[in-house]
Amino acid sequence: MVCLHLTQYMGSTLVFGASGQLGQCLKHVVAERNTAELVFLPEEQANILDMGMLQAAFAQYKPAYCINCAAYTAVDKAEDDIDIARKVNRDGAENLAKLCGEYGTTLIHISTDFVFAGTGNQPLVETDEAAPISVYGLTKLEGEQAIPAHTNQYFILRTSWLYSEYANNFVKTMLKLGREREELRIIWDQVGTPTYAIDLAGCIISIIESQSQQYGIYHYSNEGVTSWYDFAHAIFELGNVAVRTVPIRTAEYPTKATRPAYSVMDKTKAKTQLGVAIPHWRDSLKVCISRLEA
């Protein structure tokens, strides 16, 4: 267990899935900002599928907030592993919601743009129909739907294309492959917005700092729009990597799970109701790469 005790905000926050990318980014942000008390519980102390373990954690800390970063995110593997994906993404979220309702704890739950089919061409708002086209998207939507039955004190943050200095992600993979190969073939007909996980962590901390009660579903990614191909091109440019890139269609790179072709999310609600400032994806990418290269 790692407990970062900070001074200005009274009341603890339990973080589940603390060893993952977003959990590590939360540790980074609270250390920089020094404004909230977060308790990072490892899975062996806080498995979201173990109700007895969760009850013990809530009884010990009586948290004001609970952040659920735990998720089954292996998108292609989930197609053959639906039971465990559903247990983690739906049942785990429901377990935390039950305890949050019992303890009066505010739940901050992370969801995904994969809850949408991605067949449109206009930025998606929170009230647009969710129609997932993959097991991962379906189980994440089921997790969203399980929460309101047990608590009305929740923030569901849908995000997309997460990357950072931590864990495995597209940016780090591209930098590695770009330095190893002469040519990379990258999909250009899937469009969305990259999200620097440090920025998402900052949004979460801002919700806690402000003690907002504007509960509900929100979209949070960085600003702007891009394709995976153009995202990779920017990574190579900012990382000073000389590699030839070839744009290809999704059909030329078949995967087990179907991805949304267009999953750009409208962040107006988050900006107006939560008061968060959202950087452009390219500005945040530059920050991330500079830290990776430092």
Side-chain angles (χ1 to χ4, degrees):
M1 181 194 73
V2 177
C3 181
L4 298 182
H5 179 73
L6 307 139
T7 57
Q8 296 176 8
Y9 175 76
M10 297 302 293
S12 65
T13 296
L14 292 184
V15 180
F16 295 88
S19 62
Q21 177 173 214
L22 183 55
Q24 293 180 71
C25 288
L26 282 166
K27 292 176 185 177
H28 178 108
V29 171
V30 294
E32 277 192 340
R33 290 169 60 164
N34 197 35
T35 54
E37 180 185 327
L38 271 68
V39 179
F40 295 87
L41 295 172
E43 187 172 322
E44 57 267 24
Q45 288 183 258
N47 184 335
I48 63 173
L49 301 182
D50 187 327
M51 202 61 176
M53 192 179 289
L54 295 182
Q55 287 172 333
F58 272 74
Q60 177 179 355
Y61 292 100
K62 297 179 176 58
Y65 289 86
C66 166
I67 305 172
N68 183 25
C69 301
Y72 186 109
T73 58
V75 176
D76 290 314
K77 190 178 178 184
E79 296 295 310
D80 296 318
D81 205 7
I82 187 169
D83 289 339
I84 185 62
R86 178 164 279 140
K87 284 179 181 177
V88 176
N89 292 339
R90 181 194 67 187
D91 298 349
E94 184 171 33
N95 289 343
L96 290 175
K98 287 177 180 177
L99 286 167
C100 284
E102 180 181 339
Y103 280 83
T105 301
T106 296
L107 174 62
I108 302 175
H109 175 75
I110 309 305
S111 192
T112 174
D113 59 327
F114 274 57
V115 301
F116 295 110
T119 55
N121 59 8
Q122 295 295 314
L124 294 152
V125 297
E126 289 80 358
T127 53
D128 282 335
E129 179 185 7
I133 53 177
S134 66
V135 167
Y136 168 66
L138 173 62
T139 57
K140 289 297 289 182
L141 178 61
E142 290 173 344
E144 289 187 11
Q145 295 170 335
I147 290 169
H150 305 287
T151 178
N152 58 8
Q153 293 179 218
Y154 65 85
F155 295 90
I156 295 173
L157 303 180
R158 292 174 178 156
T159 192
S160 61
W161 300 21
L162 277 184
Y163 71 91
S164 70
E165 304 93 292
Y166 305 101
N168 295 318
N169 56 69
F170 186 76
V171 170
K172 292 171 72 174
T173 298
M174 286 298 101
L175 288 171
K176 179 177 184 294
L177 294 179
R179 292 179 176 122
E180 295 174 349
R181 302 182 186 180
E182 292 183 358
E183 179 181 286
L184 290 172
R185 294 161 56 84
I186 304 167
I187 291 170
W188 69 266
D189 59 350
Q190 290 177 24
V191 177
T193 309
T195 307
Y196 187 26
I198 292 286
D199 293 339
L200 176 59
C203 174
I204 292 169
I205 298 303
S206 292
I207 290 172
I208 296 170
E209 289 174 342
S210 67
Q211 301 184 52
S212 172
Q213 296 184 3
Q214 298 292 317
Y215 304 123
I217 297 175
Y218 290 87
H219 289 169
Y220 187 95
S221 67
N222 282 123
E223 294 282 29
V225 180
T226 193
S227 68
W228 287 110
Y229 174 82
D230 290 310
F231 185 27
H233 196 272
I235 293 167
F236 299 139
E237 178 188 339
L238 294 171
N240 295 312
V241 176
V243 60
R244 185 167 59 253
T245 56
V246 178
I248 62 171
R249 290 183 177 273
T250 299
E252 297 176 72
Y253 187 77
T255 55
K256 193 85 172 180
T258 304
R259 269 77 169 167
Y262 182 93
S263 61
V264 179
M265 296 186 294
D266 187 303
K267 278 79 69 173
T268 301
K269 183 180 178 184
K271 290 183 286 188
T272 57
Q273 296 194 22
L274 300 180
V276 294
I278 304 178
H280 189 273
W281 70 264
R282 190 177 171 91
D283 294 333
S284 289
L285 176 62
K286 185 175 182 179
V287 172
C288 179
I289 290 179
S290 68
R291 288 173 172 172
L292 283 168
E293 301 298 310

